[in-house]
Amino acid sequence: MKLASYQSGRDGQLHMVSSDLKLAIPVPDIASTLRDCLDNWDNLLPQLVRCQQDLNAGNLESKATPFNPARCSAPLPRATQWLDGSAYVNHVELARKARGAAMPERFWTDPLMYQGVSDNLLGPCDNIVANSAWGVDFEAELAVITDDVPMGCSAEEAHKHILLVTLCNDISLRNLIPDELEKGFGFVQSKPPSTFGPVAVTPDELGTYWQDGKLSLPMQVHFNNQPFGHPDCARDMTFNFNQLIAHAAKTRPLGRGTIIGSGTVSNKDKSTGSCCLVEQRMLEIIAGGQTLTPYLKAGDTVRIEVTTPEGQSLFGAIEQTYTGNS
């Protein structure tokens, strides 16, 4: 299934979206919001499946309208919680190498994760608004939405708790990060609300591209309408989503509607480009001792998308403009 939330109230209006992303239809007889849908997922699933099948078959075409990502909020505008991992340890290693810091060996066996803003998440076409002095950056990621996850859930059992998969732009304020981390309490001011893709999809919609908690397709990033990166989402993913869920649930249960991010997609092969500006800056420091790429400037645009080899978009695209200071 492919589900979207059109802008309406605080939690959006749930829509079923056709697999080809051409049509959308509200489903108030099933659930008014994705939150309501998640809370009653097991009971509603048969109705949702029938609706998706009818929409794909053209049986609801007279009631449907063209799917419009610009009308979308985040799939879950108010999530239970937002936990972002750093599954691509190569990205972390580059960051430490650029500043001459050693890489702790445990980073390869114990995931990094932070808890961020979850109460006012951004839609796929919302503007990015922040003070340019803060060093505004984008980070192209994947994210999963879970059902209730019991405390102590193992990685082997975690896949059963993934209900939906979507895109994420984890916006970062790079110039604020060092001072926050120096305090030893983690991110607050340096991590504003993240952005999520127009459509959240059930893992079965991803077919054979979804294996072992990983998506074997490139993350395609365009910056100011120019190709910026296309690293493969599965390659060099040190921790899959099953492991990230197990890590988050080690000492506490996770409530239904928890979103867990992958961290910036990154490949060791740098010919695939990057999914954030800071990685490009790190590579410039390693190569020549100084940065050449600036952080976001007013009017800059970013587009984030995952497509199949045939060109079919899986989640729709995040398309945002940085408008400058608030």
Side-chain angles (χ1 to χ4, degrees), residues 2-288:
K2 295 194 173 185
L3 300 169
S5 296
Y6 275 23
Q7 298 165 2
S8 178
R10 300 186 70 178
D11 293 309
Q13 181 187 34
L14 183 64
H15 280 62
M16 183 70 70
V17 182
S18 60
S19 292
D20 59 9
L21 299 183
K22 291 183 177 179
L23 296 174
I25 186 170
V27 289
D29 292 342
I30 300 176
S32 58
T33 68
L34 183 55
R35 164 59 63 192
D36 292 338
C37 183
L38 292 175
D39 285 343
N40 297 281
W41 185 266
D42 294 337
N43 292 331
L44 297 178
L45 189 58
Q47 298 176 64
L48 291 166
V49 170
R50 284 195 297 270
C51 181
Q52 179 79 78
Q53 291 172 341
D54 285 342
L55 186 60
N56 287 341
N59 299 334
L60 301 176
E61 192 167 348
S62 63
K63 300 178 181 179
T65 58
F67 176 55
N68 185 359
R71 292 187 60 189
C72 289
S73 64
L76 273 178
R78 295 189 296 171
T80 300
Q81 61 184 325
W82 159 237
L83 301 169
D84 197 20
S86 191
Y88 300 87
V89 180
N90 162 71
H91 175 75
V92 181
E93 188 175 41
L94 278 176
R96 299 183 72 87
K97 183 177 180 180
R99 64 176 188 266
M103 178 75 168
E105 193 63 31
R106 65 186 175 85
F107 280 20
W108 293 100
T109 57
D110 190 28
L112 297 171
M113 186 171 285
Y114 81 91
Q115 185 160 4
V117 175
S118 60
D119 52 352
N120 54 356
L121 302 175
L122 300 180
C125 300
D126 288 345
N127 289 332
I128 300 171
V129 182
N131 192 317
S132 59
W134 295 337
V136 187
D137 196 1
F138 57 84
E139 295 189 56
E141 308 184 8
L142 288 173
V144 298
I145 302 174
T146 75
D147 66 3
D148 292 311
V149 181
M151 184 174 73
C153 177
S154 68
E156 291 72 25
E157 292 293 313
H159 71 95
K160 300 176 183 177
H161 298 286
I162 297 174
L163 297 183
L164 297 164
V165 186
T166 191
L167 293 177
C168 175
N169 177 12
D170 178 44
I171 300 164
S172 293
L173 307 178
R174 300 294 186 185
N175 293 341
L176 301 184
I177 288 176
D179 286 345
E180 283 209 295
L181 292 185
E182 187 177 343
K183 295 177 181 178
F185 256 41
F187 302 124
V188 177
Q189 294 177 338
S190 53
K191 289 291 188 176
S194 295
T195 303
F196 290 87
V199 172
V201 313
T202 49
D204 63 283
E205 282 277 341
L206 304 174
T208 57
Y209 298 116
W210 181 259
Q211 296 282 343
D212 299 322
K214 299 181 181 182
L215 182 66
S216 297
L217 286 170
M219 178 69 73
Q220 298 170 1
V221 178
H222 284 73
F223 180 49
N224 290 331
N225 300 314
Q226 297 298 315
F228 190 79
H230 58 276
D232 188 274
C233 294
R235 189 179 306 142
D236 304 319
M237 189 179 192
T238 308
F239 306 105
N240 63 29
F241 276 109
N242 303 333
Q243 293 168 303
L244 293 177
I245 291 170
H247 176 80
K250 180 177 180 178
T251 62
R252 56 175 170 166
L254 308 180
R256 191 173 294 247
T258 290
I259 307 177
I260 295 182
S262 65
T264 308
V265 178
S266 178
N267 287 170
K268 294 179 181 178
D269 177 4
K270 289 296 116 186
S271 68
T272 63
S274 299
C275 282
C276 62
L277 295 172
V278 78
E279 184 168 289
Q280 180 63 33
R281 290 164 61 92
M282 291 185 296
L283 291 169
E284 291 165 354
I285 290 174
I286 293 168

